[in-house]
């Protein structure tokens, strides 16, 4: 097995919509194993294929009960509301309380091609929504309220400065 480097904010691949998997061949099986290893190493509770630069509708997750994978997963029903401090391996180090539906129904297939229907709420429900968003090219910053979004963009813009610009800016702000 091998690990991938995780693409971060600003990488255009994160904005692309992943294509359904038509054929679960050996390369897809290897991809799944490598994604699990990458997620565990990060560490994270979920990882979508787009985050490792692969445009296939696959995500892996592990909320403490061992790793699982969903192919061609889509949220087909959702209800309720839940606020959770959400982060993303592609937007490292930043967390925001984000309100989303609490209960969801996820439909897709497993790595053997069997149909899956999983009802989930709270953390698992959140992971399903977050990862299917990734596969639709949506990042968590798009789920922020307007004030959170403004703050997030400020931080992300300052991160995209090169090291010299960053140094000059810190000096300017008197932070050393
Ligand atoms: Ni993420």
């Amino acid at each position: 097995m091998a690990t991938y480097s995780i693409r971060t904010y600003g990488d255009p691949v994160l904005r692309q919509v992943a294509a359904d998997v038509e054929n679960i061949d050996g390369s897809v099986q290897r991809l799944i194993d490598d994604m699990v290893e990458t997620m565990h190493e990060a560490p994270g509770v979920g990882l979508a294929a787009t985050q490792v630069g692969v445009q296939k509708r696959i995500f892996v997750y592990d909320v403490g009960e061992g790793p699982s994978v969903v192919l061609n997963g889509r949220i087909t029903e959702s209800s309720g509301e839940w606020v959770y401090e959400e982060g993303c391996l592609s937007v490292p180090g930043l967390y925001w309380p984000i309100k989303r539906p609490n209960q969801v129904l996820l439909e897709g297939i497993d790595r053997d091609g069997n149909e899956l229907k999983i009802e989930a709420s709270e953390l698992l429900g959140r992971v399903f929504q977050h990862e299917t968003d990734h596969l639709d090219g949506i990042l968590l910053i798009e789920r922020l309220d307007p004030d959170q979004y403004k703050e997030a963009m400020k931080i992300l813009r300052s991160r995209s400065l090169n090291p010299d610009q960053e140094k000059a800016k810190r000096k300017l702000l008197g932070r050393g």
Side-chain angles (χ1 to χ4, degrees), residues 4-111:
Y4 284 93
S5 64
I6 297 174
R7 309 297 184 91
T8 53
Y9 177 81
D11 190 321
V13 79
L14 294 169
R15 296 297 185 188
Q16 288 173 17
V17 178
D20 276 346
V21 178
E22 307 285 354
N23 179 21
I24 309 172
D25 58 13
S27 72
V28 168
Q29 298 290 354
R30 268 194 307 280
L31 169 66
I32 293 167
D33 291 336
D34 291 344
M35 283 174 62
V36 167
E37 199 178 342
T38 304
M39 169 182 69
H40 281 154
E41 196 186 80
V45 293
L47 183 72
T50 41
Q51 291 181 275
V52 297
V54 177
Q55 297 304 310
K56 288 186 193 303
R57 200 167 180 92
I58 300 173
F59 73 85
V60 296
Y61 64 96
D62 188 345
V63 294
E65 291 161 7
S68 294
V69 61
V70 177
L71 289 79
N72 303 347
R74 286 182 175 82
I75 304 286
T76 54
E77 285 175 32
S78 62
S79 61
E81 247 179 37
W82 191 50
V83 178
Y84 179 70
E85 192 86 11
E86 196 171 325
C88 177
L89 295 173
S90 293
V91 191
L94 296 177
Y95 299 86
W96 295 278
I98 298 178
K99 184 160 64 177
R100 298 195 197 231
N102 188 8
Q103 297 86 19
V104 297
L105 177 65
L106 176 83
E107 298 190 57
I109 53 174
D110 68 15
R111 66 190 299 166

Side-chain angles (χ1 to χ4, degrees), residues 75 77-88 91 96-104 120-145 148:
I75 304 286
E77 285 175 32
S78 62
S79 61
E81 247 179 37
W82 191 50
V83 178
Y84 179 70
E85 192 86 11
E86 196 171 325
C88 177
V91 191
W96 295 278
I98 298 178
K99 184 160 64 177
R100 298 195 197 231
N102 188 8
Q103 297 86 19
V104 297
S121 62
E122 298 191 354
L123 179 59
L124 185 57
R126 182 58 59 107
V127 170
F128 287 170
Q129 294 174 78
H130 183 108
E131 301 310 327
T132 52
D133 265 1
H134 271 304
L135 297 171
D136 290 327
I138 297 167
L139 288 175
L140 84 167
I141 49 172
E142 286 157 72
R143 301 296 187 190
L144 300 176
D145 70 35
Q148 289 174 316

